[in-house]
Amino acid sequence: MKFGKKYEAYMRAMEAELPAVGIKRLKKMLKTCRRSPSSTSAAAAADAASSDRRCTGHCTVCDGSFFPSLLNEMSAVVGCFNEKAKKLLELHLASGFKKYTMWFTNKGDKSHGRLIRQGKDLVTYAIINAVAMRKILKKYDKIHYSKQGQEFKAQAQSLHIEILQSPWLCELMAFYMNLRRSKKNNAAMELFGDCSLVFDDDRPTLSCNLFDSMRVDISLTCSICLDTVFDPVSLSCGHIFCYLCCCSAASVTIVDGLKSADHKSKCPLCRQQSVFPDAMHLDELNMLLSHSCPEYWEKRMQLERVERVRLAKEHWESQCRAFLGI
């Protein structure tokens, strides 16, 4: 079965109607582009008799409708995925009075089996839409002999609508791994046997195979300290670092936190600005790493505790000196 038919069958089979990439409609746009005389340049007019005529470079027929339509659909897909993933993980991580309140307001979602099933559906939804976007952009470039599809994908990453960049996808993968540790949930976790945490020369990677067509590998090595991420946070650009390393890179104290970072501060990897204030703590990933390498985690926790006390002490000493005018 071709991917387009597999995609449509999957979206129709979903319990709730969710936003999707309209592959069939976008393909029709590209076919219209092939047939339209205005879509071909003067240089390609000589090939008009060819049955496989394609427009080259910028195309008003496609660019006026294809990219805006795809942009809107991708934004809707990512927004829906992030919202549902956030709600699911909040339900799983809730404690105390908040936990009982959330369980009570979500009467149908009380069993761990249902949480696993919802998480599996969300990960599949994210992956299959990511594949759909890449395939339709590849087809656009093939028809137009251009690289505009790849450029659009880069633009989508800068706009944070590339779903594989979403920190919630990493959190859901860690969520599965955490539930697999529980013996009573092992049978249900067989649904996602390809999701794994791999250590290569002490470098951890969160991996997942996607429909035999692509593979997601999320490096869990902090690019600042070059060690396994501890108390990991994901910046709004999608890159993951240790919390203390992020504070250092953003030139803020651990007391003030990343929300106080200057909007001109740049990501150490992609150099994108204004990525620190919206940084997200990856609690599920933190739990996964703490259980996967307990000895290292205990040692690192002791070092971090000493460092945090030192940084907090320096912060308040500087505040006292500023207050006293010393």
Side-chain angles (χ1 to χ4, degrees):
M1 183 186 292
K2 290 185 177 181
F3 176 79
K5 291 183 178 179
K6 184 189 296 185
Y7 177 78
E8 290 179 4
Y10 168 78
M11 295 305 298
R12 283 197 301 268
M14 295 194 71
E15 294 180 2
E17 186 175 347
L18 300 177
V21 176
I23 288 186
K24 193 173 182 180
R25 183 172 49 78
L26 292 171
K27 283 184 177 179
K28 283 183 178 179
M29 288 184 189
L30 297 179
K31 286 181 180 179
T32 303
C33 167
R34 282 185 174 185
R35 292 193 301 266
S36 173
S38 63
S39 68
T40 57
S41 63
D47 298 329
S50 170
S51 61
D52 190 33
R53 184 179 67 184
R54 304 172 187 178
C55 57
T56 58
H58 292 275
C59 167
T60 55
V61 176
C62 289
D63 296 356
S65 54
F66 179 86
F67 286 124
S69 178
L70 182 58
L71 183 67
N72 290 335
E73 289 170 356
M74 287 173 59
S75 299
V77 167
V78 173
C80 174
F81 170 75
N82 288 345
E83 181 183 350
K84 288 185 174 295
K86 181 180 179 181
K87 183 178 178 181
L88 176 65
L89 293 173
E90 281 182 346
L91 189 63
H92 180 240
L93 293 170
S95 60
F97 179 74
K98 182 180 179 181
K99 179 177 181 179
Y100 290 106
T101 303
M102 294 187 73
W103 282 124
F104 180 76
T105 55
N106 293 273
K107 295 180 181 179
D109 302 327
K110 289 187 176 181
S111 69
H112 280 282
R114 186 171 177 83
L115 286 179
I116 292 172
R117 187 164 62 255
Q118 288 179 339
K120 171 186 175 293
D121 289 343
L122 275 177
V123 172
T124 307
Y125 173 74
I127 290 168
I128 201 168
N129 277 286
V131 175
M133 184 203 74
R134 296 188 178 204
K135 284 188 176 291
I136 197 66
L137 289 175
K138 186 177 180 181
K139 189 172 185 68
Y140 178 96
D141 282 347
K142 183 179 179 181
I143 288 175
H144 293 81
Y145 294 116
S146 74
K147 293 184 178 179
Q148 282 183 262
Q150 296 304 311
E151 292 171 1
F152 178 82
K153 190 168 74 170
Q155 180 189 1
Q157 292 176 349
S158 66
L159 293 173
H160 313 309
I161 56 173
E162 164 59 273
I163 201 164
L164 296 182
Q165 273 190 313
S166 172
W168 294 110
L169 180 60
C170 177
E171 277 287 82
L172 279 176
M173 291 167 67
F175 165 77
Y176 273 106
M177 298 293 292
N178 287 330
L179 290 179
R180 187 160 60 186
R181 287 187 293 102
S182 173
K183 292 182 180 180
K184 64 181 180 181
N185 288 321
N186 271 343
M189 284 305 301
E190 289 175 4
L191 292 168
F192 242 72
D194 286 337
C195 187
S196 59
L197 178 64
V198 180
F199 286 86
D200 185 11
D201 293 331
D202 294 330
R203 302 284 183 180
T205 302
L206 198 58
S207 301
C208 186
N209 293 325
L210 318 177
F211 303 109
D212 299 325
S213 60
M214 61 185 296
R215 178 183 176 90
V216 167
D217 290 315
I218 302 175
S219 174
L220 301 181
T221 299
C222 176
S223 300
I224 298 176
C225 66
L226 303 179
D227 211 338
T228 300
V229 288
F230 184 89
D231 191 11
V233 292
S234 175
L235 305 184
S236 58
C237 59
H239 293 118
I240 300 173
F241 303 96
C242 305
Y243 177 70
L244 283 185
C245 293
C246 268
C247 289
S248 176
S251 301
V252 297
T253 67
I254 60 171
V255 177
D256 294 330
L258 293 174
K259 289 190 180 297
S260 63
D262 190 337
H263 285 275
K264 293 182 179 179
S265 299
K266 298 179 180 179
C267 169
L269 279 180
C270 65
R271 310 306 296 166
Q272 187 174 332
Q273 291 185 344
S274 191
V275 293
F276 290 100
D278 295 325
M280 168 183 159
H281 272 87
L282 303 179
D283 297 319
E284 291 281 358
L285 180 59
N286 197 52
M287 289 168 54
L288 174 63
L289 289 171
S290 66
H291 287 94
S292 300
C293 39
E295 294 181 1
Y296 164 79
W297 210 253
E298 183 63 30
K299 182 179 178 181
R300 182 75 182 268
M301 188 177 293
Q302 292 175 4
L303 294 174
E304 289 275 326
R305 187 179 295 117
V306 172
E307 182 66 10
R308 292 189 182 215
V309 169
R310 184 186 69 81
L311 291 173
K313 184 179 178 181
E314 287 182 357
H315 171 79
W316 291 116
E317 284 178 351
S318 66
Q319 292 294 310
C320 288
R321 287 195 297 270
F323 179 77
L324 295 174
I326 300 177

